């Protein structure tokens, strides 16, 4: 009997979690002035996550056994989780810096430094990283601030 792949088990657990969280969105308190259901956005995100979990399960179950044996070889295993630790550390620094720098500056710095740590480090790529950080975070900040009228953290630096 073939043992289920770890990815399939994780995908199944995440799929059950998505289903439970989806069920919980129907228990949100609805404010009297709401024009749209409060749970609409969380439900959309959970449906997308559930589809990704199904894709993970299908991919894990259709993987060939020789590919599984090759991927479990000691030389194929990652030695460290350097990239994941860098991502979590940078995100923690981003959250801590929100109070002082605000959403716009901290977000641009977070995206730029994340790309610098994970991507190529040439002068040309630094220009691309800066442009992507400015356009992506600046665009999202503008969308939330001006179009959606969401009050984002402005930080102590911009209040001076």
């Amino acid at each position: 009997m073939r043992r289920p792949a770890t990815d399939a088990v994780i995908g199944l657990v995440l799929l059950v979690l998505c289903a439970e969280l989806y069920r919980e969105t129907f228990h949100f308190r609805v404010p009297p002035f709401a024009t749209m259901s409060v749970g609409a956005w969380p439900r959309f995100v959970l449906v997308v996550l559930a589809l990704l979990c199904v894709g993970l399960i299908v991919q894990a179950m259709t993987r060939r056994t020789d590919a599984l044996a090759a991927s479990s070889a000691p030389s194929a295993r990652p030695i460290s989780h350097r990239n994941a630790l860098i991502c979590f550390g940078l995100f923690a620094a981003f959250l801590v810096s929100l109070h002082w720098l605000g959403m716009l500056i901290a977000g641009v710095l977070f995206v730029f430094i994340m790309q610098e740590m994970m991507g190529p480090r040439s002068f040309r790529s630094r220009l691309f990283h800066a442009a992507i950080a400015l356009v992506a975070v600046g665009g999202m900040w503008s969308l939330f601030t001006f179009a959606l009228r969401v009050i984002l953290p402005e930080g102590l630096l911009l209040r001076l």
Side-chain angles (χ1 to χ4, degrees):
M1 186 166 142
R2 195 176 104 173
R3 197 178 79 176
T6 307
D7 290 346
V9 173
I10 291 172
L12 188 61
V13 168
L14 290 174
L15 193 60
V16 169
L17 180 67
C18 285
E20 176 59 26
L21 290 173
Y22 188 87
R23 188 184 66 80
E24 286 295 320
T25 62
F26 292 102
H27 299 292
F28 290 167
R29 186 176 56 87
V30 179
F33 57 84
T35 57
M36 186 169 106
S37 171
V38 178
W41 179 248
R43 287 183 198 127
F44 172 74
V45 171
L46 287 168
V47 166
V48 171
L49 285 174
L51 290 174
L52 291 172
C53 290
V54 168
L56 179 66
I57 293 169
V58 168
Q59 181 184 17
M61 295 310 249
T62 57
R63 194 178 303 152
R64 293 185 8 212
T65 56
D66 58 342
L68 281 174
S71 69
S72 64
S75 62
R77 281 190 232 142
I79 295 172
S80 69
H81 302 290
R82 176 182 164 267
N83 288 347
L85 293 174
I86 288 172
C87 291
F88 285 126
L90 285 175
F91 188 69
F94 163 72
L95 292 177
V96 168
S97 68
L98 272 177
H99 178 68
W100 294 285
L101 298 176
M103 182 66 194
L104 182 60
I105 297 171
V108 168
L109 285 174
F110 170 70
V111 172
F112 178 75
I113 294 170
M114 181 72 76
Q115 290 181 18
E116 279 294 307
M117 296 301 290
M118 300 298 161
R121 293 187 184 119
S122 65
F123 178 74
R124 185 170 184 228
S125 67
R126 282 195 175 100
L127 292 176
F128 281 124
H129 294 166
I132 289 169
L134 287 170
V135 170
V137 176
M140 291 301 291
W141 180 82
S142 299
L143 175 75
F144 277 91
T145 302
F146 300 118
L148 299 175
R149 305 276 186 215
V150 175
I151 300 170
L152 296 173
E154 62 183 15
L156 296 175
L157 186 65
L158 293 178
R159 286 187 196 155
L160 299 175

